[in-house]
């Protein structure tokens, strides 16, 4: 065997070793990444709020949890028509008369591209007046039958 042949063999041997080592490193890296990712997603799981389909329409204490709306007749119609542009919060924080709700809907139809509600309009307004009526009383009702006494100086 000549010197050049020997050298060629050694170089080929080195190449083979390098390739084997690189392959091993890549495999270890892939396995490592896999476990690392798994661990990461596992540890994050608990911090996510579960909004899987069966919980989407969960109702607790008469409140539809996802929207915060009162669970009552007409709820689904209201959710379908009234929560796609803004949150239900806008509805909850407003308390209006029948006319007031009708006008709000008219206003949205005229200026905010709210669609024609058709027969649903009555269902929706009924729901709104029943569950979010104007508060008749102020923070406390007016005192009645108070026996005032005169201050003697
Ligand atoms: C096409 C979009 C759209 C839909 C659907 C929609 N709204 Fe609105 N609504 C708006 C916009 C836009 C505003 C103004 C939001 C703001 O001021 O940030 C608004 C505001 C409101 C307000 C507050 C009005 C005020 O005086 O501040 C109420 C209450 C309301 N919407 C109720 C409803 C109800 C009830 C429905 C279902 C019939 C509904 N919205 C459906 C677009 C929509």
């Amino acid at each position: 065997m000549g010197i050049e042949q020997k050298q060629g063999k050694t170089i080929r041997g080195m190449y083979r070793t390098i390739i084997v080592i690189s392959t091993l490193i890549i495999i270890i890296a892939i396995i490592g990444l896999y476990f690392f990712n798994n661990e990461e997603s596992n540890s994050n799981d608990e911090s996510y709020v579960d909004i899987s389909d069966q919980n989407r329409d969960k109702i607790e204490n008469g409140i539809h949890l996802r929207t915060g709306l009162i669970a009552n007749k007409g709820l689904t119609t209201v959710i379908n028509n009234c929560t796609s542009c803004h949150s239900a919060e806008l509805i909850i924080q407003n308390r209006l008369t029948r006319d007031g709700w009708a006008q709000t809907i008219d206003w949205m139809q005229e200026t905010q591209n709210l669609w024609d509600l058709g027969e649903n309009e009555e269902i929706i307004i009924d729901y709104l007046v029943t569950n979010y009526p104007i508060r008749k009383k102020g923070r406390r009702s007016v005192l009645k039958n108070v026996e005032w006494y005169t201050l003697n100086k």
Side-chain angles (χ1 to χ4, degrees):
M1 216 187 264
I3 291 180
E4 279 171 24
Q5 267 179 317
K6 253 191 178 165
Q7 275 183 340
K9 233 183 170 181
T10 325
I11 290 175
R12 255 180 271 130
M14 272 167 60
Y15 270 131
R16 217 172 289 147
T17 318
I18 289 174
I19 288 170
V20 169
I21 290 176
S22 319
T23 314
L24 278 177
I25 289 177
I26 289 171
I27 291 173
I28 290 171
I30 289 172
I31 293 174
L33 274 178
Y34 177 78
F35 277 109
F36 180 72
N37 277 345
N38 248 16
E39 216 166 89
E40 222 177 32
S41 53
N42 279 347
S43 60
N44 279 347
D45 270 355
E46 286 156 29
S47 58
Y48 284 121
V49 179
D50 187 357
I51 48 162
S52 58
D53 275 349
Q54 70 241 60
N55 282 335
R56 265 180 77 78
D57 288 312
K58 203 168 170 194
I59 288 164
E60 236 173 65
N61 300 324
I63 298 293
H64 181 254
L65 292 185
R66 180 165 54 87
T67 56
L69 288 168
I70 295 173
N72 220 334
K73 192 167 160 250
L75 173 68
T76 315
T77 315
V78 170
I79 291 175
N80 290 344
N81 288 285
C82 304
T83 58
S84 45
C85 297
H86 48 68
S87 104
E89 205 56 44
L90 265 186
I91 299 173
I92 295 165
Q93 63 195 205
N94 272 278
R95 290 180 159 267
L96 302 166
T97 57
R98 180 170 285 273
D99 272 356
W101 282 116
Q103 278 166 19
T104 305
I105 290 175
D106 284 348
W107 170 79
M108 277 180 288
Q109 283 171 332
E110 280 159 23
T111 61
Q112 311 295 340
N113 288 330
L114 172 61
W115 47 87
D116 182 20
L117 297 166
E119 291 174 356
N120 286 334
E121 179 150 351
E122 211 170 308
I123 300 172
I124 291 170
I125 293 182
D126 281 347
Y127 170 90
L128 295 169
V129 191
T130 310
N131 301 292
Y132 302 99
I134 201 151
R135 287 197 183 91
K136 293 241 169 57
K137 290 181 177 176
R139 278 182 291 170
R140 64 165 170 78
S141 40
V142 179
L143 296 175
K144 281 177 216 151
N145 306 321
V146 183
E147 285 183 25
W148 300 103
Y149 57 88
T150 26
L151 281 173
N152 296 318
K153 278 188 195 163

